[in-house]
Amino acid sequence: MYSYHYPHPAVTVDCAVFGLDEARPASSGEDARRDDDRHGTTPGNLTVLLIQRDLEPYAGAWALPGGFVKIDEDLEAAALRELGEETGVRDLYLEQLGAFGAPDRDPRERVITVAYLAIVNLFDHPVAAATDARNAGWFGVDDLPALAFDHERIVAAGLEQLRATVRDEPIVFEFLPQEFTLRQVQSLYEAILGESLDKRNFRKKLHATSLIVPLDEVEMDVAHRAAQLHRFDRERYEALRAEGYRWNA
Amino acid sequence: MYSYHYPHPAVTVDCAVFGLDEARPASSGEDARRDDDRHGTTPGNLTVLLIQRDLEPYAGAWALPGGFVKIDEDLEAAALRELGEETGVRDLYLEQLGAFGAPDRDPRERVITVAYLAIVNLFDHPVAAATDARNAGWFGVDDLPALAFDHERIVAAGLEQLRATVRDEPIVFEFLPQEFTLRQVQSLYEAILGESLDKRNFRKKLHATSLIVPLDEVEMDVAHRAAQLHRFDRERYEALRAEGYRWNA
DNA sequence: GCAAAAGTGTTTATGATACACCCATGC
DNA sequence: GCATGGGTGTATCATAAACACTTTTGC
């Protein structure tokens, strides 16, 4: 038992992990109705990683991965640890979202949680396997089940921060595999911002940054002209940002 | 005594309260050297509200106002309460900055703090009076003493968020009295952004928002032509933001 | 009358938007 | 040969930036 002169809240971390559910390049058919006036975009869907709780409270409900912070553990380390334990996801982009601490957000005791925004690419981390007994899975952000605690609010805050961050930092590339097509980048922006973008203008802006380098390869196994592959020039980006760089896409 | 099966950290709130130390309009002389090539700006100085600690650890050191969160108290309520108790400042703009929780940031025990960014105008809250025995005072952001704990990092994060927020929200008016001159608004932007702005372009943009209404009054007791007073049209702002408004000044 | 800050428009440059056709590939 | 998405440029519009003189007031 651990005793204190004053009551102490418990502190947890929770991770809103976003990924991109890429429409598989090969399967062109499936439910391809309203294709008439689409501006030529195959949208990927933005998804969130959830786990199914097997303990009370909210046993059986879906929730963000997370858990209690150890007493000598850094907050970010705790977030990474819990995420790894519960979903097997490691090596990802992480950014603090903020603290959520409404007095009644957990029925057991006062629990203050520090939420993190995380981004993975589903290519390096294909459909996360839960190393834990619980179920884990990806859900489209527009199609979430009811969530435990105040996790819906945390997801909403995560989405908002994602949208805000995407406007001045090229974090989108955290979603993508090392080699990607410009089409994928555009679909990703469209999925995050929730609006469709002009293909030519988008590519113009992308190229203007000089952060995207074309490779001598093209995508494969597509039923149409293959797209050029590109990679993100991380070194150049680091160099530019060191001297105060603004992205603004 | 309060006992738990697992160790619990303590949770505090800290407030980075920013104010504007207006160069008093009347006193034109005092140390007016390098006035030659100034673009015609009398800069106000951005300041932070600090209290002097009278208890260990860091007794005698300056620190951000803050303290422990009560077990059933909302985080924001705790921030407001501590701020009122320690500095007498109430009724202000408050926004969460984030959680700071390095394991060794407090020598006593594990303490995770939730930091808030706050803005006051020094006209309605003139040089905060500490209702507590401790000392409280305003310090220029470029001229801070050594701070207790990791409060320097919190101030830095606050400044950064202030700069970021000012770009899309007209929160600057939280710094100003109800009636102000355009000159004051510009000085404030200059103080926050740390760069000098073009007078004509700045006023053009201000007027374009239609959020500033001129009054039939001018400032008084100045040794030169008196400036028109204006007020911020809060109703119009609320109406505009309700339908998705972007400020971007 | 002079010092000190208030007030006021136009021109130029830059970035954002709108827009339509040909090309390569797989079937 | 046709369906599917890949790839490309220009003209227009809107916003940002640069820039200097006259006006009012107190002393």
Side-chain angles (χ1 to χ4, degrees):
Chain A
M1 296 289 277
Y2 299 84
S3 299
Y4 306 92
H5 289 286
Y6 297 97
H8 280 43
V11 176
T12 58
V13 286
D14 286 299
C15 299
V17 188
F18 292 93
L20 184 72
D21 180 9
E22 180 77 6
R24 292 153 313 296
S27 64
S28 49
E30 60 143 324
D31 201 353
R33 269 173 298 155
R34 75 262 186 275
D35 270 6
D36 299 333
D37 59 354
R38 277 207 320 204
H39 263 283
T41 66
T42 309
N45 286 316
L46 203 56
T47 58
V48 187
L49 180 56
L50 299 177
I51 60 157
Q52 194 166 24
R53 294 180 55 84
D54 59 358
L55 297 175
E56 288 297 339
Y58 296 101
W62 292 92
L64 295 176
F68 292 93
V69 176
K70 293 185 175 169
I71 198 66
D72 278 316
E73 184 180 37
D74 191 68
L75 295 173
E76 188 167 319
L80 289 169
R81 175 181 54 76
E82 287 286 353
L83 197 53
E85 286 175 12
E86 295 187 333
T87 69
V89 173
R90 296 171 209 284
D91 298 323
L92 37 72
Y93 177 90
L94 206 64
E95 181 176 309
Q96 195 186 112
L97 256 177
F100 293 75
D104 58 353
R105 59 178 293 284
D106 190 310
R108 293 166 293 185
E109 62 175 323
R110 179 74 191 275
V111 178
I112 289 161
T113 198
V114 179
Y116 282 84
L117 166 65
I119 295 177
V120 301
N121 81 63
L122 302 188
F123 305 89
D124 295 356
H125 311 278
V127 189
T131 59
D132 211 328
R134 307 162 203 177
N135 217 347
W138 295 95
F139 291 79
V141 290
D142 294 324
D143 194 29
L144 292 181
L147 300 185
F149 307 107
D150 55 358
H151 287 186
E152 273 153 28
R153 288 188 50 209
I154 297 177
V155 170
L159 261 175
E160 202 175 317
Q161 179 155 329
L162 183 57
R163 293 201 175 104
T165 308
V166 144
R167 289 180 216 274
D168 5 288
E169 298 281 349
I171 52 167
V172 274
F173 298 104
E174 303 291 339
F175 284 102
L176 296 172
Q178 287 221 341
E179 307 190 344
F180 50 82
T181 67
L182 299 185
R183 187 81 261 297
Q184 288 178 298
V185 185
Q186 184 175 345
S187 297
L188 182 45
Y189 267 95
E190 290 174 336
I192 294 173
L193 299 177
E195 55 186 310
S196 57
L197 304 171
D198 180 271
K199 182 162 55 152
R200 281 179 287 190
N201 293 338
F202 184 79
R203 293 162 99 100
K204 206 190 304 171
K205 263 194 346 197
L206 266 190
H207 284 125
T209 63
S210 312
L211 292 176
I212 307 280
V213 294
L215 302 174
D216 287 333
E217 296 173 72
V218 294
E219 62 179 342
M220 287 173 58
D221 301 322
V222 287
H224 53 80
R225 176 174 174 181
Q228 187 77 230
L229 289 173
H230 295 73
R231 68 174 180 81
F232 176 61
D233 191 342
R234 202 171 290 272
E235 295 76 40
R236 184 178 173 88
Y237 169 61
E238 300 294 351
L240 284 176
R241 86 161 350 197
E243 51 193 59
Y245 169 70
R246 306 235 106 204
W247 154 267
N248 210 328
Chain B
M1 296 289 276
Y2 299 85
S3 299
Y4 305 92
H5 289 285
Y6 296 95
H8 280 41
V11 176
T12 59
V13 287
D14 286 299
C15 299
V17 188
F18 292 93
L20 184 71
D21 180 8
E22 180 78 6
R24 292 156 309 298
S27 65
S28 50
E30 62 140 326
D31 201 355
R33 270 171 299 157
R34 74 259 187 276
D35 269 8
D36 298 333
D37 59 355
R38 279 207 318 208
H39 264 285
T41 67
T42 309
N45 286 315
L46 203 57
T47 59
V48 187
L49 180 55
L50 299 178
I51 60 157
Q52 195 165 25
R53 293 179 56 82
D54 60 357
L55 297 175
E56 289 296 339
Y58 295 102
W62 292 92
L64 295 176
F68 293 92
V69 176
K70 294 185 176 171
I71 199 64
D72 278 316
E73 184 180 37
D74 191 68
L75 295 172
E76 188 165 320
L80 288 168
R81 176 182 53 75
E82 287 285 351
L83 197 53
E85 285 175 12
E86 294 185 334
T87 69
V89 173
R90 297 171 209 283
D91 298 322
L92 38 70
Y93 177 91
L94 205 66
E95 180 176 310
Q96 194 185 113
L97 256 176
F100 293 76
D104 57 353
R105 59 178 293 283
D106 191 309
R108 293 168 291 185
E109 62 175 322
R110 179 74 191 278
V111 178
I112 289 162
T113 197
V114 179
Y116 282 83
L117 167 64
I119 295 177
V120 301
N121 81 64
L122 302 188
F123 306 88
D124 295 355
H125 311 277
V127 188
T131 59
D132 211 329
R134 308 164 204 175
N135 216 346
W138 295 95
F139 291 79
V141 290
D142 293 326
D143 194 29
L144 293 181
L147 299 185
F149 308 107
D150 55 358
H151 287 186
E152 273 153 27
R153 287 187 51 211
I154 297 177
V155 170
L159 261 175
E160 203 175 316
Q161 180 155 330
L162 183 57
R163 292 200 176 104
T165 308
V166 145
R167 290 182 216 272
D168 1 290
E169 297 281 350
I171 51 167
V172 275
F173 298 104
E174 303 292 338
F175 283 103
L176 295 172
Q178 286 221 343
E179 307 191 344
F180 49 82
T181 67
L182 300 184
R183 186 81 263 297
Q184 287 177 298
V185 185
Q186 183 176 344
S187 296
L188 181 47
Y189 267 95
E190 291 175 334
I192 294 172
L193 299 177
E195 55 186 309
S196 56
L197 304 171
D198 180 89
K199 182 163 52 153
R200 281 177 289 187
N201 292 339
F202 183 79
R203 294 161 97 101
K204 206 188 306 170
K205 265 197 339 200
L206 267 190
H207 285 125
T209 63
S210 313
L211 293 176
I212 307 278
V213 293
L215 303 174
D216 286 334
E217 296 174 72
V218 294
E219 62 180 342
M220 286 173 59
D221 300 323
V222 288
H224 54 80
R225 176 174 176 181
Q228 187 77 230
L229 289 174
H230 296 71
R231 69 174 177 82
F232 177 60
D233 191 343
R234 201 172 292 272
E235 293 78 39
R236 184 179 175 86
Y237 169 61
E238 300 294 352
L240 284 176
R241 86 162 349 198
E243 51 193 60
Y245 169 71
R246 306 234 104 206
W247 157 267
N248 210 328

